[in-house]
Amino acid sequence: MRPPVHIQERVTSAKGVHMSTESSYLKRTTHCGILRPEHIGQEVTLNGWVHRRRDHGGLIFLDLRDRSGLVQVVFDPEIGNEAWQTAHDVRAEFVMAVRGQVRQRPEGTENPGLATGEVEVAVTQADVLNPAQTPPIAIADTGEVDDMVRMKYRYLDLRTERMQRNLQLRHRAAHAVRNFLTEEGFWEVETPSLFRPTPEGARDYLVPSRVSPGNFYALPQSPQIMKQLLMVSGVERYFQLARCFRDEDLRADRQPEHTQIDMELSFVDREDIYDLTERLFVHLFDASIGHELPVPFPRMTHAEAMARYGTDKPDLRFGMELIDLSEIAAQVDFKVFSGTVAQGGQVKGICAKGCGDYPRAQLDVLTEFAQQHKAQGLAWMRVVEDGVDSPIAKFFTAEQITSIVAAFGAEPGDLLLMVADQPAIVAESLDWLRREMARRENLIPEGTFAPLWVSDFPLFTWDADARRWDAEHHPFCMPHPDDRELLQTDPGQVRALAYDVVINGVEMGSGSIRIHRRDIQQQVFDIMGIDAQQAEEKFGFLLKAFEYGTPPHGGIAPGFDRLVMLLAGEDNIREVIAFPKTQKAQCLMSGAPSTVAPEALRDLHIRLNLPPQD
RNA sequence: GGGGCUGUAGCUCAGUCGGUUUUAGAGUGCCACCCUGUCAAGGUGGAAGUCGCGGGUUCGAGUCCCGUCAGCCCCGCCA
């Protein structure tokens, strides 16, 4: 645990500060959460919210809350009768100013559960600065509240301890990033939010231009092009906590606007970026939550990650790797296995340690689960002393069973789960199954972080519908130097100098070394079917810039929201975003998006063409 | 666009096989009163409901059916 945060704010004196009659009130001299026995005897004034109220008729206790925490304030008619009268009428979330003396609590009434629990403030003067309606969210309670209510009254939700902690953590994280990168010689450069629509990638949020009828800006999906131009500009080391916008459907880890720690560096190779990112993360984890992240991060190629985990973002907090049984499976009498391999498919599986006692009904549930994730079915074997217990055991010789069990390194009491299918489906279903089994068996240790680098992504993916090659990452990724010849012969085999940093199975950021030579760029465009004229239309300004002396450069863009989510121990980025949007990209608090006045549309030369309503 | 879960008092929830087990309940909050060492204070009493919305089945619907809206999780999508 980290020490409590001491709020160091100047006590505003009346001198030199504008205090109109209306705004004159008892201003705080200190904060609630920092009071300790050392303050006993001091006269203090506190400003804050009523957290809880305990009215004994004679004595009234309030827990007064501000950003720093809670302290008990006592209203005693013999000490401050007028204040005591005031305290009768206050309720939860009233904003108050109280003045009184810090004193030791009477013996036996200390509250060890409270940081300030050894002391209390005996109130002599109290003002209600503002009353409050009964809030729809009980700030003092820790129970779950419906997401709809939380988002509609976000400003109240943010008062809860959890959200205050998350907001503060996010601030500390941002501060740590800025400090570290500044020390490393980076310049923070802001790039425009109103930019040119990009033809590739996600759907753009568009902003119509009033002065250029029929033309639109786009909110940037990322400052990718701009940061590369900054390398051409000689900035050499750029970063920005950049807001990025994508008009795509939401997930637990995706919001329509999110923040990236956007970085770009000149005269670097992959190792430089790995090293920099690792040191950034080490500093970030230490400065924000005091966690020591081990370096260097393990590394894995994309191919290896797919083979061993069935995903390009494996969660390394637990094992249960995928085992390839295709060789054995090719020779068995079980047609589902041998036939699949004969047709170019694979048979792979995972070994769930100690799950050999799963009853048939549970295995049916797992089978259904695998099928929901595209597998045709799920073959299972319970490993027992003298072989396996399985409905498909009869298709295997004793020798084959022994080799399967050996391939998994399995022991009696284990459960083997196998999928036979095309490689992509085997990978996807076993990835899901692996994570599901880890969840069921509680294999994921809390409070641990397992980072890794995944590298050598394919440069292109084949778009079967459009019958063309698409950039896997983006079209400015440098092809792997060893694969330059394959560009001509077999584009699907070309690896990119691209890398993802993954933590706990979440993609935390991706980057690449960029193409800085015009001829290579044109080669990549050619493969993607973008001819010189199209390239000129789409990226002309960038390509032109590249003709004026472009340094070799590369970068990475860790997702800031996801990092903070991880640091906070949350499983949804909404919890670390002050004002998030719903899955339909709406803001329940403000009602955005909303209709606009017809005149506003007219100014923008826009006519609506809405779908018919019943 | 698709699949799943959820929707009952301000909040968190219960509500059985469709019915006299109610006038749809509980906890908390709220209101009133009592109470001088509590800290989830306690006690007594009270108010509080468009059972998300619309339609249907039925003698009878919070409960069953259809549609719809909203929130969440997932697929598609997200270079």
Side-chain angles (χ1 to χ4, degrees), chain A residues 176-212:
Chain A
V177 166
R178 288 201 165 96
N179 275 349
F180 177 85
L181 292 175
T182 300
E183 289 300 310
E184 292 288 324
F186 283 74
W187 292 351
E188 182 167 14
V189 182
E190 292 147 286
T191 54
S193 292
L194 297 174
F195 201 60
R196 195 192 149 91
T198 46
E200 306 273 329
R203 201 174 287 116
D204 283 325
Y205 276 103
L206 294 176
V207 180
S209 166
R210 175 179 56 83
V211 292
S212 302

mmCIF file of all heavy atoms in Angstrom, chain A residues 176-212:
data_model
loop_
_atom_site.group_PDB
_atom_site.id
_atom_site.type_symbol
_atom_site.label_atom_id
_atom_site.label_comp_id
_atom_site.label_asym_id
_atom_site.label_seq_id
_atom_site.Cartn_x
_atom_site.Cartn_y
_atom_site.Cartn_z
ATOM 1 N N ALA A 176 2.988 10.579 -14.286
ATOM 2 C CA ALA A 176 4.180 9.729 -14.378
ATOM 3 C C ALA A 176 4.661 9.619 -15.824
ATOM 4 O O ALA A 176 5.856 9.652 -16.101
ATOM 5 C CB ALA A 176 3.875 8.339 -13.809
ATOM 6 N N VAL A 177 3.709 9.481 -16.731
ATOM 7 C CA VAL A 177 4.068 9.373 -18.155
ATOM 8 C C VAL A 177 4.752 10.654 -18.614
ATOM 9 O O VAL A 177 5.815 10.627 -19.250
ATOM 10 C CB VAL A 177 2.807 9.104 -19.004
ATOM 11 C CG1 VAL A 177 3.094 9.324 -20.486
ATOM 12 C CG2 VAL A 177 2.296 7.692 -18.757
ATOM 13 N N ARG A 178 4.154 11.784 -18.263
ATOM 14 C CA ARG A 178 4.734 13.064 -18.697
ATOM 15 C C ARG A 178 6.117 13.273 -18.086
ATOM 16 O O ARG A 178 7.044 13.701 -18.769
ATOM 17 C CB ARG A 178 3.809 14.223 -18.312
ATOM 18 C CG ARG A 178 2.554 14.277 -19.161
ATOM 19 C CD ARG A 178 1.929 15.678 -19.131
ATOM 20 N NE ARG A 178 0.958 15.803 -20.218
ATOM 21 C CZ ARG A 178 -0.354 15.604 -20.075
ATOM 22 N NH1 ARG A 178 -0.839 15.281 -18.892
ATOM 23 N NH2 ARG A 178 -1.155 15.730 -21.110
ATOM 24 N N ASN A 179 6.250 12.950 -16.823
ATOM 25 C CA ASN A 179 7.552 13.092 -16.172
ATOM 26 C C ASN A 179 8.605 12.236 -16.850
ATOM 27 O O ASN A 179 9.683 12.706 -17.195
ATOM 28 C CB ASN A 179 7.465 12.650 -14.703
ATOM 29 C CG ASN A 179 6.984 13.771 -13.817
ATOM 30 O OD1 ASN A 179 6.908 14.919 -14.252
ATOM 31 N ND2 ASN A 179 6.641 13.426 -12.595
ATOM 32 N N PHE A 180 8.270 10.979 -17.035
ATOM 33 C CA PHE A 180 9.243 10.042 -17.584
ATOM 34 C C PHE A 180 9.669 10.466 -18.988
ATOM 35 O O PHE A 180 10.860 10.545 -19.292
ATOM 36 C CB PHE A 180 8.659 8.630 -17.608
ATOM 37 C CG PHE A 180 9.584 7.626 -18.235
ATOM 38 C CD1 PHE A 180 10.581 7.014 -17.487
ATOM 39 C CD2 PHE A 180 9.474 7.308 -19.583
ATOM 40 C CE1 PHE A 180 11.446 6.100 -18.066
ATOM 41 C CE2 PHE A 180 10.336 6.398 -20.181
ATOM 42 C CZ PHE A 180 11.321 5.790 -19.420
ATOM 43 N N LEU A 181 8.697 10.728 -19.830
ATOM 44 C CA LEU A 181 9.029 11.034 -21.220
ATOM 45 C C LEU A 181 9.752 12.373 -21.336
ATOM 46 O O LEU A 181 10.615 12.544 -22.197
ATOM 47 C CB LEU A 181 7.772 10.988 -22.093
ATOM 48 C CG LEU A 181 7.179 9.576 -22.242
ATOM 49 C CD1 LEU A 181 5.872 9.611 -23.023
ATOM 50 C CD2 LEU A 181 8.168 8.622 -22.915
ATOM 51 N N THR A 182 9.409 13.299 -20.469
ATOM 52 C CA THR A 182 10.137 14.569 -20.470
ATOM 53 C C THR A 182 11.604 14.333 -20.135
ATOM 54 O O THR A 182 12.502 14.859 -20.791
ATOM 55 C CB THR A 182 9.499 15.538 -19.456
ATOM 56 O OG1 THR A 182 8.140 15.754 -19.826
ATOM 57 C CG2 THR A 182 10.227 16.877 -19.441
ATOM 58 N N GLU A 183 11.847 13.503 -19.108
ATOM 59 C CA GLU A 183 13.222 13.159 -18.736
ATOM 60 C C GLU A 183 13.959 12.470 -19.878
ATOM 61 O O GLU A 183 15.177 12.572 -19.996
ATOM 62 C CB GLU A 183 13.226 12.241 -17.505
ATOM 63 C CG GLU A 183 12.824 12.930 -16.215
ATOM 64 C CD GLU A 183 13.757 14.072 -15.865
ATOM 65 O OE1 GLU A 183 14.987 13.849 -15.874
ATOM 66 O OE2 GLU A 183 13.271 15.190 -15.614
ATOM 67 N N GLU A 184 13.210 11.757 -20.693
ATOM 68 C CA GLU A 184 13.808 11.022 -21.804
ATOM 69 C C GLU A 184 13.990 11.887 -23.045
ATOM 70 O O GLU A 184 14.352 11.383 -24.104
ATOM 71 C CB GLU A 184 12.939 9.807 -22.156
ATOM 72 C CG GLU A 184 12.913 8.731 -21.089
ATOM 73 C CD GLU A 184 14.222 7.944 -20.994
ATOM 74 O OE1 GLU A 184 14.843 7.706 -22.045
ATOM 75 O OE2 GLU A 184 14.614 7.594 -19.874
ATOM 76 N N GLY A 185 13.682 13.156 -22.918
ATOM 77 C CA GLY A 185 13.932 14.063 -24.030
ATOM 78 C C GLY A 185 12.789 14.190 -25.026
ATOM 79 O O GLY A 185 12.993 14.660 -26.146
ATOM 80 N N PHE A 186 11.601 13.780 -24.618
ATOM 81 C CA PHE A 186 10.452 13.902 -25.522
ATOM 82 C C PHE A 186 9.828 15.287 -25.430
ATOM 83 O O PHE A 186 9.863 15.921 -24.364
ATOM 84 C CB PHE A 186 9.386 12.860 -25.172
ATOM 85 C CG PHE A 186 9.718 11.475 -25.639
ATOM 86 C CD1 PHE A 186 10.698 10.719 -24.994
ATOM 87 C CD2 PHE A 186 9.055 10.917 -26.714
ATOM 88 C CE1 PHE A 186 11.011 9.449 -25.424
ATOM 89 C CE2 PHE A 186 9.361 9.640 -27.154
ATOM 90 C CZ PHE A 186 10.346 8.901 -26.509
ATOM 91 N N TRP A 187 9.273 15.708 -26.548
ATOM 92 C CA TRP A 187 8.454 16.924 -26.556
ATOM 93 C C TRP A 187 7.001 16.519 -26.693
ATOM 94 O O TRP A 187 6.655 15.698 -27.566
ATOM 95 C CB TRP A 187 8.811 17.818 -27.751
ATOM 96 C CG TRP A 187 10.173 18.428 -27.676
ATOM 97 C CD1 TRP A 187 11.049 18.418 -26.625
ATOM 98 C CD2 TRP A 187 10.836 19.139 -28.733
ATOM 99 N NE1 TRP A 187 12.203 19.079 -26.951
ATOM 100 C CE2 TRP A 187 12.098 19.526 -28.236
ATOM 101 C CE3 TRP A 187 10.473 19.487 -30.049
ATOM 102 C CZ2 TRP A 187 13.012 20.251 -29.008
ATOM 103 C CZ3 TRP A 187 11.376 20.202 -30.814
ATOM 104 C CH2 TRP A 187 12.637 20.589 -30.298
ATOM 105 N N GLU A 188 6.167 17.115 -25.858
ATOM 106 C CA GLU A 188 4.731 16.882 -26.012
ATOM 107 C C GLU A 188 4.206 17.873 -27.040
ATOM 108 O O GLU A 188 4.315 19.089 -26.850
ATOM 109 C CB GLU A 188 3.998 17.064 -24.677
ATOM 110 C CG GLU A 188 2.502 16.784 -24.789
ATOM 111 C CD GLU A 188 1.809 16.640 -23.436
ATOM 112 O OE1 GLU A 188 2.414 17.013 -22.410
ATOM 113 O OE2 GLU A 188 0.663 16.160 -23.417
ATOM 114 N N VAL A 189 3.706 17.359 -28.131
ATOM 115 C CA VAL A 189 3.189 18.202 -29.207
ATOM 116 C C VAL A 189 1.718 17.864 -29.405
ATOM 117 O O VAL A 189 1.360 16.697 -29.530
ATOM 118 C CB VAL A 189 3.954 17.966 -30.531
ATOM 119 C CG1 VAL A 189 3.416 18.888 -31.623
ATOM 120 C CG2 VAL A 189 5.449 18.166 -30.334
ATOM 121 N N GLU A 190 0.892 18.909 -29.424
ATOM 122 C CA GLU A 190 -0.523 18.678 -29.682
ATOM 123 C C GLU A 190 -0.777 18.668 -31.186
ATOM 124 O O GLU A 190 -0.213 19.471 -31.924
ATOM 125 C CB GLU A 190 -1.366 19.763 -29.039
ATOM 126 C CG GLU A 190 -1.334 19.697 -27.532
ATOM 127 C CD GLU A 190 -1.424 21.067 -26.901
ATOM 128 O OE1 GLU A 190 -0.417 21.803 -26.940
ATOM 129 O OE2 GLU A 190 -2.496 21.400 -26.424
ATOM 130 N N THR A 191 -1.617 17.765 -31.598
ATOM 131 C CA THR A 191 -1.973 17.670 -33.014
ATOM 132 C C THR A 191 -3.457 17.957 -33.155
ATOM 133 O O THR A 191 -4.202 17.860 -32.183
ATOM 134 C CB THR A 191 -1.638 16.269 -33.547
ATOM 135 O OG1 THR A 191 -2.274 15.302 -32.714
ATOM 136 C CG2 THR A 191 -0.127 16.023 -33.535
ATOM 137 N N PRO A 192 -3.895 18.342 -34.356
ATOM 138 C CA PRO A 192 -5.282 18.791 -34.495
ATOM 139 C C PRO A 192 -6.318 17.695 -34.260
ATOM 140 O O PRO A 192 -6.066 16.527 -34.557
ATOM 141 C CB PRO A 192 -5.361 19.285 -35.944
ATOM 142 C CG PRO A 192 -4.075 18.982 -36.581
ATOM 143 C CD PRO A 192 -3.112 18.477 -35.584
ATOM 144 N N SER A 193 -7.463 18.122 -33.699
ATOM 145 C CA SER A 193 -8.611 17.216 -33.600
ATOM 146 C C SER A 193 -9.423 17.252 -34.880
ATOM 147 O O SER A 193 -10.159 16.316 -35.173
ATOM 148 C CB SER A 193 -9.510 17.609 -32.433
ATOM 149 O OG SER A 193 -8.838 17.377 -31.225
ATOM 150 N N LEU A 194 -9.325 18.356 -35.586
ATOM 151 C CA LEU A 194 -10.010 18.453 -36.872
ATOM 152 C C LEU A 194 -8.965 18.128 -37.928
ATOM 153 O O LEU A 194 -8.039 18.903 -38.162
ATOM 154 C CB LEU A 194 -10.579 19.860 -37.084
ATOM 155 C CG LEU A 194 -11.640 20.275 -36.071
ATOM 156 C CD1 LEU A 194 -12.038 21.722 -36.283
ATOM 157 C CD2 LEU A 194 -12.858 19.358 -36.165
ATOM 158 N N PHE A 195 -9.095 16.953 -38.525
ATOM 159 C CA PHE A 195 -8.081 16.519 -39.474
ATOM 160 C C PHE A 195 -8.766 16.036 -40.732
ATOM 161 O O PHE A 195 -9.990 16.153 -40.892
ATOM 162 C CB PHE A 195 -7.221 15.409 -38.837
ATOM 163 C CG PHE A 195 -5.885 15.229 -39.495
ATOM 164 C CD1 PHE A 195 -4.971 16.271 -39.535
ATOM 165 C CD2 PHE A 195 -5.538 14.007 -40.056
ATOM 166 C CE1 PHE A 195 -3.730 16.096 -40.139
ATOM 167 C CE2 PHE A 195 -4.297 13.825 -40.665
ATOM 168 C CZ PHE A 195 -3.395 14.869 -40.709
ATOM 169 N N ARG A 196 -7.968 15.493 -41.626
ATOM 170 C CA ARG A 196 -8.474 15.027 -42.892
ATOM 171 C C ARG A 196 -8.983 13.602 -42.738
ATOM 172 O O ARG A 196 -8.308 12.769 -42.125
ATOM 173 C CB ARG A 196 -7.302 15.054 -43.875
ATOM 174 C CG ARG A 196 -7.646 14.961 -45.302
ATOM 175 C CD ARG A 196 -6.366 14.716 -46.084
ATOM 176 N NE ARG A 196 -6.696 13.930 -47.262
ATOM 177 C CZ ARG A 196 -7.016 14.500 -48.426
ATOM 178 N NH1 ARG A 196 -6.987 15.794 -48.572
ATOM 179 N NH2 ARG A 196 -7.349 13.739 -49.443
ATOM 180 N N PRO A 197 -10.155 13.285 -43.273
ATOM 181 C CA PRO A 197 -10.611 11.898 -43.184
ATOM 182 C C PRO A 197 -9.583 10.953 -43.787
ATOM 183 O O PRO A 197 -8.966 11.263 -44.809
ATOM 184 C CB PRO A 197 -11.900 11.896 -44.013
ATOM 185 C CG PRO A 197 -12.376 13.303 -43.973
ATOM 186 C CD PRO A 197 -11.131 14.145 -43.924
ATOM 187 N N THR A 198 -9.378 9.805 -43.140
ATOM 188 C CA THR A 198 -8.428 8.827 -43.665
ATOM 189 C C THR A 198 -9.209 7.689 -44.319
ATOM 190 O O THR A 198 -10.245 7.279 -43.813
ATOM 191 C CB THR A 198 -7.554 8.252 -42.541
ATOM 192 O OG1 THR A 198 -8.402 7.916 -41.436
ATOM 193 C CG2 THR A 198 -6.534 9.259 -42.095
ATOM 194 N N PRO A 199 -8.726 7.212 -45.440
ATOM 195 C CA PRO A 199 -9.489 6.201 -46.171
ATOM 196 C C PRO A 199 -9.449 4.825 -45.528
ATOM 197 O O PRO A 199 -10.319 4.011 -45.752
ATOM 198 C CB PRO A 199 -8.799 6.170 -47.534
ATOM 199 C CG PRO A 199 -7.406 6.628 -47.270
ATOM 200 C CD PRO A 199 -7.476 7.570 -46.114
ATOM 201 N N GLU A 200 -8.459 4.569 -44.690
ATOM 202 C CA GLU A 200 -8.295 3.221 -44.150
ATOM 203 C C GLU A 200 -8.851 3.139 -42.740
ATOM 204 O O GLU A 200 -9.124 4.134 -42.108
ATOM 205 C CB GLU A 200 -6.794 2.893 -44.077
ATOM 206 C CG GLU A 200 -6.044 3.055 -45.365
ATOM 207 C CD GLU A 200 -6.095 1.802 -46.225
ATOM 208 O OE1 GLU A 200 -6.168 0.718 -45.645
ATOM 209 O OE2 GLU A 200 -6.081 1.937 -47.453
ATOM 210 N N GLY A 201 -9.011 1.925 -42.281
ATOM 211 C CA GLY A 201 -9.263 1.708 -40.872
ATOM 212 C C GLY A 201 -10.699 1.859 -40.449
ATOM 213 O O GLY A 201 -11.613 1.519 -41.193
ATOM 214 N N ALA A 202 -10.854 2.356 -39.235
ATOM 215 C CA ALA A 202 -12.175 2.416 -38.632
ATOM 216 C C ALA A 202 -13.001 3.527 -39.284
ATOM 217 O O ALA A 202 -12.491 4.355 -40.031
ATOM 218 C CB ALA A 202 -12.052 2.677 -37.140
ATOM 219 N N ARG A 203 -14.280 3.498 -38.962
ATOM 220 C CA ARG A 203 -15.184 4.555 -39.418
ATOM 221 C C ARG A 203 -14.808 5.854 -38.704
ATOM 222 O O ARG A 203 -14.540 5.858 -37.502
ATOM 223 C CB ARG A 203 -16.605 4.151 -39.072
ATOM 224 C CG ARG A 203 -17.683 4.825 -39.866
ATOM 225 C CD ARG A 203 -19.039 4.230 -39.545
ATOM 226 N NE ARG A 203 -19.239 2.892 -40.095
ATOM 227 C CZ ARG A 203 -19.419 1.801 -39.375
ATOM 228 N NH1 ARG A 203 -19.412 1.856 -38.062
ATOM 229 N NH2 ARG A 203 -19.598 0.643 -39.958
ATOM 230 N N ASP A 204 -14.787 6.932 -39.450
ATOM 231 C CA ASP A 204 -14.440 8.234 -38.875
ATOM 232 C C ASP A 204 -15.658 8.921 -38.262
ATOM 233 O O ASP A 204 -16.770 8.786 -38.767
ATOM 234 C CB ASP A 204 -13.909 9.172 -39.978
ATOM 235 C CG ASP A 204 -12.473 8.864 -40.369
ATOM 236 O OD1 ASP A 204 -11.685 8.485 -39.495
ATOM 237 O OD2 ASP A 204 -12.156 9.022 -41.559
ATOM 238 N N TYR A 205 -15.424 9.661 -37.191
ATOM 239 C CA TYR A 205 -16.405 10.666 -36.777
ATOM 240 C C TYR A 205 -16.177 11.888 -37.664
ATOM 241 O O TYR A 205 -15.043 12.377 -37.759
ATOM 242 C CB TYR A 205 -16.209 11.048 -35.315
ATOM 243 C CG TYR A 205 -16.890 10.111 -34.370
ATOM 244 C CD1 TYR A 205 -16.175 9.144 -33.673
ATOM 245 C CD2 TYR A 205 -18.264 10.171 -34.171
ATOM 246 C CE1 TYR A 205 -16.803 8.264 -32.808
ATOM 247 C CE2 TYR A 205 -18.915 9.299 -33.310
ATOM 248 C CZ TYR A 205 -18.177 8.357 -32.634
ATOM 249 O OH TYR A 205 -18.811 7.487 -31.780
ATOM 250 N N LEU A 206 -17.204 12.346 -38.312
ATOM 251 C CA LEU A 206 -17.054 13.436 -39.273
ATOM 252 C C LEU A 206 -17.602 14.733 -38.712
ATOM 253 O O LEU A 206 -18.578 14.745 -37.969
ATOM 254 C CB LEU A 206 -17.789 13.093 -40.567
ATOM 255 C CG LEU A 206 -17.212 11.904 -41.354
ATOM 256 C CD1 LEU A 206 -18.085 11.593 -42.551
ATOM 257 C CD2 LEU A 206 -15.773 12.174 -41.766
ATOM 258 N N VAL A 207 -16.949 15.811 -39.089
ATOM 259 C CA VAL A 207 -17.374 17.144 -38.672
ATOM 260 C C VAL A 207 -17.566 17.983 -39.933
ATOM 261 O O VAL A 207 -16.608 18.224 -40.665
ATOM 262 C CB VAL A 207 -16.308 17.808 -37.779
ATOM 263 C CG1 VAL A 207 -16.767 19.207 -37.355
ATOM 264 C CG2 VAL A 207 -16.009 16.942 -36.566
ATOM 265 N N PRO A 208 -18.794 18.404 -40.204
ATOM 266 C CA PRO A 208 -19.030 19.170 -41.428
ATOM 267 C C PRO A 208 -18.426 20.560 -41.353
ATOM 268 O O PRO A 208 -18.383 21.173 -40.289
ATOM 269 C CB PRO A 208 -20.556 19.244 -41.512
ATOM 270 C CG PRO A 208 -21.026 19.057 -40.112
ATOM 271 C CD PRO A 208 -20.010 18.184 -39.429
ATOM 272 N N SER A 209 -17.965 21.018 -42.493
ATOM 273 C CA SER A 209 -17.390 22.357 -42.559
ATOM 274 C C SER A 209 -18.452 23.359 -42.993
ATOM 275 O O SER A 209 -19.150 23.147 -43.978
ATOM 276 C CB SER A 209 -16.228 22.377 -43.548
ATOM 277 O OG SER A 209 -15.892 23.725 -43.855
ATOM 278 N N ARG A 210 -18.561 24.458 -42.241
ATOM 279 C CA ARG A 210 -19.516 25.512 -42.608
ATOM 280 C C ARG A 210 -19.006 26.318 -43.790
ATOM 281 O O ARG A 210 -19.749 26.617 -44.716
ATOM 282 C CB ARG A 210 -19.745 26.437 -41.403
ATOM 283 C CG ARG A 210 -20.622 27.649 -41.665
ATOM 284 C CD ARG A 210 -20.791 28.463 -40.406
ATOM 285 N NE ARG A 210 -19.499 28.868 -39.842
ATOM 286 C CZ ARG A 210 -18.797 29.925 -40.255
ATOM 287 N NH1 ARG A 210 -19.262 30.718 -41.201
ATOM 288 N NH2 ARG A 210 -17.629 30.209 -39.708
ATOM 289 N N VAL A 211 -17.707 26.610 -43.750
ATOM 290 C CA VAL A 211 -17.178 27.519 -44.763
ATOM 291 C C VAL A 211 -16.752 26.797 -46.040
ATOM 292 O O VAL A 211 -16.474 27.450 -47.051
ATOM 293 C CB VAL A 211 -15.991 28.345 -44.207
ATOM 294 C CG1 VAL A 211 -16.498 29.299 -43.150
ATOM 295 C CG2 VAL A 211 -14.909 27.436 -43.655
ATOM 296 N N SER A 212 -16.677 25.476 -45.982
ATOM 297 C CA SER A 212 -16.393 24.721 -47.202
ATOM 298 C C SER A 212 -17.547 23.750 -47.428
ATOM 299 O O SER A 212 -17.485 22.596 -47.008
ATOM 300 C CB SER A 212 -15.093 23.927 -47.081
ATOM 301 O OG SER A 212 -14.014 24.770 -46.794
#
